[in-house]
Amino acid sequence: MSTQEWWKNSVGYQIYPRSFQDSNGDGIGDIRGIISRLDYLVELGVDFIWINPVYKSPNVDNGYDISDYEAIQPEYGTLDDVKELIAACHQKNIKVLFDLVVNHTSNLHPWFVEAMKSKDNPYHDYYLFVDNDGTTPPNNWESFFGNSAWEYVPQLQQSYLHIFAKEQPDLNWKNKAMRAEIYQMMLFWLDLGLDGFRLDAISHIQKADWAVPMVKTDKWRNFMNVAGIEQYMTELKQVFDEYHVLTVGEASGVSSKKAPEWTGDGGYINMIFELEHNQKTGKNGSEVIDLPAYQDVIYRWQRDQLKEGWNALYIENHDNPRAATIFGNDNPEYLKTLALSYFLLRGTPFIYQGQEIGMTNFPYSKVEQFDGVDAKMQYADWLAKGDDELTALKKVGRVSRDNSRTPMQWSGETNAGFTNATPWMNVNPDYTTRNVASEEQDAASLLSFYKQLISLKKSSAAFGTGTIKLITSEPGQFVFERVNEDASYLVVANLTTLDVELPAAIVNNYQTGKIVLSTGAAADITKVKPGTGLIIQKG
Ligand code: TEU
Ligand code: CA
């Protein structure tokens, strides 16, 4: 492994800046807030952070609608703050990734403002306009956030494509001048010393012909990894390669079979966040993760990238409800087991802020507590379908991505230590018992477990570049070996309600080994009980 592949033995941490730490008493998390919490991240042991967008934005989609790629949203601070953040991180050996959002801009980006002026404005072709009389949209494509993906512009007699909110017009990647400006902008950030990017919605930059209709059974295929994207990814890679930066693509539609072409040697990027494992079951309002289906997806991605390719491993992010709720069990030992089930698979593990202390979904009691455009639209949708308010609230609240965006729970003090003003989003009331300060004091807490797990992960390259052997068992029981020339480890994480029965050969191999980490006191290789797990190093 070359030193350029440092990320293969590393751990990432995702920061949602709006909700991490407020430093100036306006109720909104900011860059100086992140700087003030770096020692926490050092203590935790993470190697790099990915920070969600802090660029200038009217904030229709919490920063994913960018109106100036090279300026910082004043709420978050200044460019100087960013420089200071990068320097402070580097001084503490933490690398920094920013979000790169280039599928779309804000409708208030100067390019779009120009584009709206006339059909022959040079910026008009930076976006995807189609002649249209406004009676019916150019085709039946829907946006990820609901309703038609087209917005009619009367003064142009055209509609433009937006696969997210209408305030997020899609960029036209066929336009060479637009692409050149994007690459320039990337260099601007890389020259400031960033260590990489998380590539937002990157598999959507190429679209099918407008004549191809949407099909209900595969709604997004006209803008997910569509042929022709190769050229743009190759060009992006040229920029990345110049700086040897880390690149993590949010690339839905790239199948596990195809993934090695993207993430293997010579691939466009280093790893992919697959979005397939988000498999749920149960009635609207009480969904839980469908464990067998979830595990199938994760194991398939492991198998399909065994030799070529690399995985980005995660259970939470800013687009999903909290794992402690959606896996249906917020018992600390279960959450430790959940950590074990994904963290040491082959790939680079990520922790989403608050996951390490077991933060849970917000107990919504009124619609005003929702923030996201998507949550509000879904709520209106359920009401329109005949639900009463409480039912609609429950349905949206269970799965809403707002759940993951409540302020980080640092302590049991006012507003969980996030701010001394009114927080921009409600703090989850469970902060009084679930917070960093109390878990730091408790050697048996989830936070303490994560620290041990991170340190173990980094202690042996067997957990990095080592091989993985997935051992078949009950669905929902994650059992695998990690092996290199120096060491062999067996990881067992039992998320089911049945005891694990290991194959005799495995028991023989590891029985005399040493338990290097376990979720509870009564760890025993011959009887890994429901909701528990352990790691054994071969003797
Ligand atoms: O999310 C994008 C996203 O989830 C889709 O691109 C995904 O591919 C699709 O739903 C597949 O089912 C990112 C950000 O993470 C999110 O917060 C933003 O709202 C969105 O992009 C728009 O920028
Ligand atoms: Ca602030």
Side-chain angles (χ1 to χ4, degrees):
M1 187 186 64
S2 71
T3 51
Q4 279 168 16
E5 292 195 329
W6 56 269
W7 36 268
K8 289 200 170 172
N9 286 316
S10 298
V11 175
Y13 187 90
Q14 182 189 348
I15 291 181
Y16 197 69
R18 207 171 181 76
S19 302
F20 195 60
Q21 178 67 58
D22 176 23
S23 75
N24 62 345
D26 63 357
I28 298 172
D30 46 54
I31 293 159
R32 303 209 68 83
I34 301 175
I35 297 174
S36 75
R37 291 293 186 181
L38 289 182
D39 285 339
Y40 170 73
L41 299 176
V42 171
E43 182 74 13
L44 190 57
V46 301
D47 303 280
F48 68 96
I49 53 178
W50 149 37
I51 305 176
N52 289 94
V54 289
Y55 312 100
K56 191 138 201 286
S57 163
N59 215 25
V60 169
D61 185 19
N62 274 355
Y64 281 97
D65 48 321
I66 298 170
S67 54
D68 185 343
Y69 280 116
E70 296 183 8
I72 300 298
Q73 174 72 1
E75 287 165 335
Y76 294 132
T78 64
L79 204 54
D80 280 337
D81 292 335
V82 171
K83 289 180 190 161
E84 197 179 320
L85 171 73
I86 295 173
C89 284
H90 287 173
Q91 210 238 330
K92 294 177 193 289
N93 272 323
I94 293 176
K95 294 187 161 59
V96 185
L97 271 61
F98 266 21
D99 229 298
L100 184 72
V101 188
V102 294
N103 175 71
H104 47 269
T105 67
S106 158
N107 60 329
L108 300 186
H109 192 290
W111 297 344
F112 193 73
V113 173
E114 285 298 309
M116 288 285 267
K117 288 183 179 163
S118 80
K119 287 186 195 177
D120 34 63
N121 187 292
Y123 291 98
H124 190 72
D125 191 50
Y126 275 32
Y127 295 87
L128 297 165
F129 286 91
V130 173
D131 288 338
N132 189 222
D133 65 8
T135 51
T136 47
N139 62 30
N140 70 343
W141 296 7
E142 282 177 22
S143 92
F144 285 120
F145 290 170
N147 301 331
S148 172
W150 296 95
E151 181 71 9
Y152 180 60
V153 186
Q155 76 269 24
L156 295 173
Q157 298 209 323
Q158 287 190 312
S159 291
Y160 67 84
L161 184 79
H162 61 88
I163 65 170
F164 296 97
K166 65 178 191 312
E167 294 87 355
Q168 294 167 295
D170 281 57
L171 285 165
N172 176 17
W173 274 74
K174 294 195 173 63
N175 185 298
K176 215 171 158 195
M178 187 287 289
R179 299 207 302 279
E181 293 208 51
I182 293 288
Y183 305 145
Q184 247 351 91
M185 172 275 283
M186 288 163 61
L187 295 179
F188 169 84
W189 288 105
L190 293 174
D191 283 334
L192 279 185
L194 279 188
D195 302 289
F197 292 117
R198 177 263 189 181
L199 313 174
D200 183 63
I202 197 66
S203 52
H204 305 323
I205 58 179
Q206 168 76 331
K207 276 80 178 172
D209 280 350
W210 306 140
V212 184
M214 181 196 79
V215 288
K216 284 264 182 241
T217 47
D218 195 1
K219 275 188 165 182
W220 319 123
R221 74 165 173 211
N222 293 325
F223 37 82
M224 277 205 322
N225 194 23
V226 172
I229 196 173
E230 303 80 8
Q231 184 198 339
Y232 312 138
M233 293 308 300
T234 304
E235 290 178 9
L236 283 164
K237 176 181 162 55
Q238 281 162 7
V239 182
F240 304 144
D241 282 356
E242 245 180 86
Y243 288 73
H244 302 296
V245 289
L246 173 58
T247 51
V248 190
E250 190 201 29
S252 58
V254 177
S255 67
S256 54
K257 279 262 173 315
K258 283 274 172 209
E261 286 175 28
W262 281 58
T263 66
D265 286 344
Y268 309 127
I269 55 179
N270 301 130
M271 60 187 92
I272 288 181
F273 280 127
E274 51 81 14
L275 303 184
E276 286 178 65
H277 75 228
N278 189 8
Q279 302 279 336
K280 298 195 189 85
T281 177
K283 282 217 309 272
N284 291 125
S286 48
E287 293 96 330
V288 285
I289 289 290
D290 180 348
L291 262 187
Y294 165 87
Q295 185 176 28
D296 267 358
V297 172
I298 291 176
Y299 270 33
R300 168 160 54 75
W301 275 79
Q302 288 287 316
R303 291 197 175 102
D304 287 345
Q305 298 200 97
L306 267 193
K307 294 202 182 69
E308 247 328 83
W310 195 252
N311 284 290
L313 311 165
Y314 72 100
I315 51 173
E316 283 192 15
N317 61 27
H318 66 293
D319 286 334
N320 282 298
R322 288 292 185 175
T325 302
I326 207 75
F327 278 81
N329 190 341
D330 66 358
N331 176 305
E333 185 158 15
Y334 185 87
L335 296 178
K336 291 178 192 174
T337 310
L338 186 57
L340 267 193
S341 73
Y342 88 99
F343 212 81
L344 300 173
L345 290 164
R346 192 162 174 280
T348 300
F350 287 73
I351 297 170
Y352 177 67
Q353 68 181 49
Q355 173 192 324
E356 74 275 27
I357 55 167
M359 280 177 66
T360 60
N361 272 5
F362 188 85
Y364 294 100
S365 58
K366 44 182 194 280
V367 64
E368 292 74 30
Q369 290 161 337
F370 289 128
D371 169 73
V373 263
D374 50 328
K376 288 174 189 154
M377 278 171 78
Q378 286 152 11
Y379 178 78
D381 246 26
W382 286 119
L383 289 187
K385 284 184 182 138
D387 279 344
D388 59 70
E389 290 176 10
L390 267 183
T391 311
L393 205 61
K394 189 169 168 235
K395 287 181 179 171
V396 180
R398 180 73 180 184
V399 290
S400 168
R401 57 186 191 168
D402 283 0
N403 286 300
S404 57
R405 301 175 177 191
T406 64
M408 179 70 180
Q409 293 164 206
W410 294 107
S411 71
E413 287 158 33
T414 318
N415 297 322
F418 164 71
T419 181
N420 49 30
T422 307
W424 76 278
M425 196 187 228
N426 289 295
V427 178
N428 192 315
D430 72 2
Y431 78 92
T432 49
T433 51
R434 213 179 280 270
N435 61 63
V436 170
S438 66
E439 293 199 27
E440 270 174 344
Q441 303 306 313
D442 175 4
S445 69
L446 182 61
L447 178 60
S448 299
F449 184 81
Y450 264 105
K451 287 182 190 170
Q452 291 170 289
L453 187 55
I454 293 169
S455 127
L456 181 68
K457 152 95 192 167
K458 288 163 53 175
S459 70
S460 168
F463 294 122
T465 45
T467 56
I468 188 164
K469 203 158 132 207
L470 302 169
I471 293 156
T472 324
S473 60
E474 262 320 286
Q477 299 182 348
F478 287 76
V479 182
F480 52 92
E481 285 182 278
R482 296 301 313 266
V483 177
N484 72 358
E485 56 278 7
D486 302 321
S488 298
Y489 294 90
L490 176 73
V491 179
V492 185
N494 184 3
L495 298 176
T496 71
T497 51
L498 303 169
D499 285 356
V500 176
E501 290 192 27
L502 293 172
I506 294 283
V507 176
N508 281 339
N509 250 334
Y510 283 92
Q511 211 155 25
T512 57
K514 175 176 166 226
I515 296 182
V516 289
L517 188 63
S518 69
T519 59
D524 174 0
I525 181 174
T526 58
K527 199 178 173 73
V528 182
K529 293 211 243 17
T532 75
L534 48 76
I535 307 171
I536 303 180
Q537 182 176 8
K538 202 165 172 174

